Amino acid sequence: MSQLNNLFFQIIDNFPNGFILFDENANILYTNSVFTDLLGYEKNYLLNKKKLWELDYHINSPELFKQKITNLMRIKKSNRFSIYIKNDGTLYRCQKQNFSFMNNENETNYFFSIIDNKNDTVLEQNYFYSQKLLNEKIDTLRIPLFTIFSSISAFKLKNELNLPLTEQEINLNIDAIEKSANQLNNLIKTLKP
């Protein structure tokens, strides 16, 4: 059996596509050199220091990993596009096939993915930097939106209570809304590619 295992891994090592074997705890048990080359990691680093959910952009938490694995155990095979986080922080988009199988001797579930390295569209942006920048921009939306909603609420409240609006209140609220709208417009311009 050991010779058969060795033969299997020799075949996988010479496989033209990426290959990764992992268990239900997201431990990476084996990768071939195509997979490590595509993502720029050392093989030993992946096997000893990384969990699968740390590499997969779409399965980015232990909880989501468990959910995906439960689904894969049920259907046994899936085809989908995936995005991996490369060692340099960029993203690697690819087509992959996922499989599940059970070792009947110890009743342990194992999983593997075959990664098509022909769709090697590397997204140029650094994922972590882009995420941080987007979060900062989203935070700057809060103040102008709050100002706009507060001004509109003030108008509505006075209207519902049949209270007259003074010229000063109208001008103050319109100025606040206009200033906030300009802030939002400028923010939208900075987010456009």
Side-chain angles (χ1 to χ4, degrees):
M1 188 66 167
S2 177
Q3 285 182 328
L4 190 59
N5 284 345
N6 287 339
L7 178 62
F8 172 76
F9 285 114
Q10 283 178 357
I11 292 168
I12 295 300
D13 278 335
N14 293 299
F15 203 53
N17 291 26
F19 180 90
I20 183 168
L21 175 70
F22 51 98
D23 66 15
E24 57 194 0
N25 297 314
N27 296 311
I28 299 169
L29 306 174
Y30 177 81
T31 67
N32 68 357
S33 58
V34 174
F35 183 84
T36 56
D37 290 347
L38 286 172
L39 299 188
Y41 289 99
E42 291 292 326
K43 186 173 188 171
N44 284 337
Y45 180 75
L46 286 180
L47 298 180
N48 296 310
K49 300 205 173 172
K50 284 284 188 186
K51 296 282 193 179
L52 184 68
W53 57 266
E54 295 176 287
L55 298 178
D56 194 314
Y57 177 81
H58 295 293
I59 307 174
N60 54 13
S61 71
E63 298 78 23
L64 193 53
F65 173 80
K66 286 283 185 198
Q67 179 185 341
K68 296 285 186 181
I69 286 306
T70 301
N71 291 340
L72 185 56
M73 284 191 314
R74 187 175 41 79
I75 63 174
K76 304 296 184 202
K77 177 185 174 188
S78 72
N79 295 320
R80 68 181 184 95
F81 278 100
S82 188
I83 296 177
Y84 286 101
I85 302 168
K86 294 174 64 175
N87 191 31
D88 64 6
T90 58
L91 301 177
Y92 178 78
R93 184 175 183 265
C94 60
Q95 176 75 35
K96 76 174 180 180
Q97 295 180 345
N98 298 313
F99 301 88
S100 72
F101 66 96
M102 179 182 269
N103 181 337
N104 291 329
E105 291 175 15
N106 59 10
E107 302 212 346
T108 303
N109 290 303
Y110 294 99
F111 310 90
F112 66 93
S113 298
I114 298 173
I115 291 88
D116 182 358
N117 62 351
K118 294 181 181 116
N119 291 336
D120 57 350
T121 305
V122 178
L123 306 180
E124 297 296 330
Q125 294 177 328
N126 182 313
Y127 161 67
F128 299 106
Y129 174 75
S130 298
Q131 187 181 43
K132 180 177 179 281
L133 185 63
L134 189 56
N135 286 339
E136 288 171 1
K137 295 293 185 186
I138 288 170
D139 283 342
T140 61
L141 289 172
R142 296 179 199 280
I143 294 171
L145 286 173
F146 177 76
T147 303
I148 290 170
F149 287 130
S150 296
S151 297
I152 291 169
S153 294
F155 281 137
K156 283 184 174 179
L157 182 61
K158 286 261 188 167
N159 187 40
E160 287 171 8
L161 297 174
N162 291 322
L163 297 172
L165 284 164
T166 66
E167 188 76 27
Q168 184 181 7
E169 288 173 324
I170 293 171
N171 289 335
L172 184 67
N173 281 302
I174 288 175
D175 287 346
I177 291 171
E178 184 178 26
K179 182 179 176 188
S180 296
N182 285 331
Q183 286 177 312
L184 292 173
N185 192 39
N186 289 335
L187 182 58
I188 289 166
K189 285 179 185 175
T190 62
L191 290 174
K192 279 189 175 178

